[in-house]
Every structure is written in C-alpha cells, then in structure tokens.
Amino acid sequence: MDVMAATEFLARSTTQTSVGWIGYIIIGAIAGWIAGKIVKGGGSGILMNIVIGIIGALIGGFLLSFFLDTAGGGWWFTLFTAILGSVILLAIVGAVRKR
C-alpha cells in the first residue's frame, strides 16, 4: 500500500465512526484492562492499558475488515474490536516472552 492509499484509508476510517480521539483513548483503556483480565496478564497500569487497547484496536480493526463491513460501528463495536485485538496482542506478547 503506498502512502496516498494509506492516507486515504485512514481519513475514511476516522470519519466513518462517531467515537473521536478521546473516545478512542477511553475505549483503549477499557479494552486494555479487559484484555489483561482475559489473558490473565499482570497489572499493566492505565497508560499501558491505553497503549495496549489502541494497538489492539488497530489489530482488531485490520483483522475484522476482512470479514465484516466495519464502517460506522460506534462505541460498542469499537470496544469489541479493541478487546479482540488486545487479547490477540497480549497472547502474542506472552508467547514471545515465554521463549
């Protein structure tokens, strides 16, 4: 994907949801915390939960875009996507750390 296509994709994805940047931070914190409970990881702290949740939302959004039309999902769909991606992210990090 070239830079113009990536920019266009990001511009479309941010205008199709009604969550906003502050919403993404809040959802990221909640998703990171829930994913930590699901994967049974140690307490990560609020900042790390936000980072895990936001990166997880990117991973989850990327994976779900292959199977579903993710446009205009809203708060609940964004939270579900972020939790799914965060669980995947923590599982991968846990597997790498065990080695």
Side-chain angles (χ1 to χ4, degrees), residues 25-48:
I25 292 172
I26 293 169
I27 289 172
I30 294 169
W33 178 74
I34 291 172
K37 298 296 182 189
I38 291 172
V39 178
K40 296 185 178 30
S44 299
I46 187 70
L47 290 176
M48 199 60 181

Side-chain angles (χ1 to χ4, degrees), residues 1-11:
M1 179 180 298
D2 63 352
V3 175
M4 289 303 292
T7 305
E8 183 181 335
F9 175 76
L10 287 174

Side-chain angles (χ1 to χ4, degrees), residues 15-91:
T15 58
Q16 291 175 345
T17 60
S18 61
V19 176
W21 288 103
I22 301 221
Y24 282 124
I25 292 172
I26 293 169
I27 289 172
I30 294 169
W33 178 74
I34 291 172
K37 298 296 182 189
I38 291 172
V39 178
K40 296 185 178 30
S44 299
I46 187 70
L47 290 176
M48 199 60 181
N49 283 342
I50 291 171
V51 171
I52 290 168
I54 291 174
I55 294 172
L58 292 172
I59 293 169
F62 177 75
L63 293 175
L64 287 180
S65 68
F66 287 112
F67 304 109
L68 301 171
D69 179 22
T70 59
W75 281 86
W76 292 109
F77 186 76
T78 303
L79 179 62
F80 169 75
T81 304
I83 293 170
L84 177 70
S86 297
V87 167
I88 292 170
L89 175 65
L90 289 177

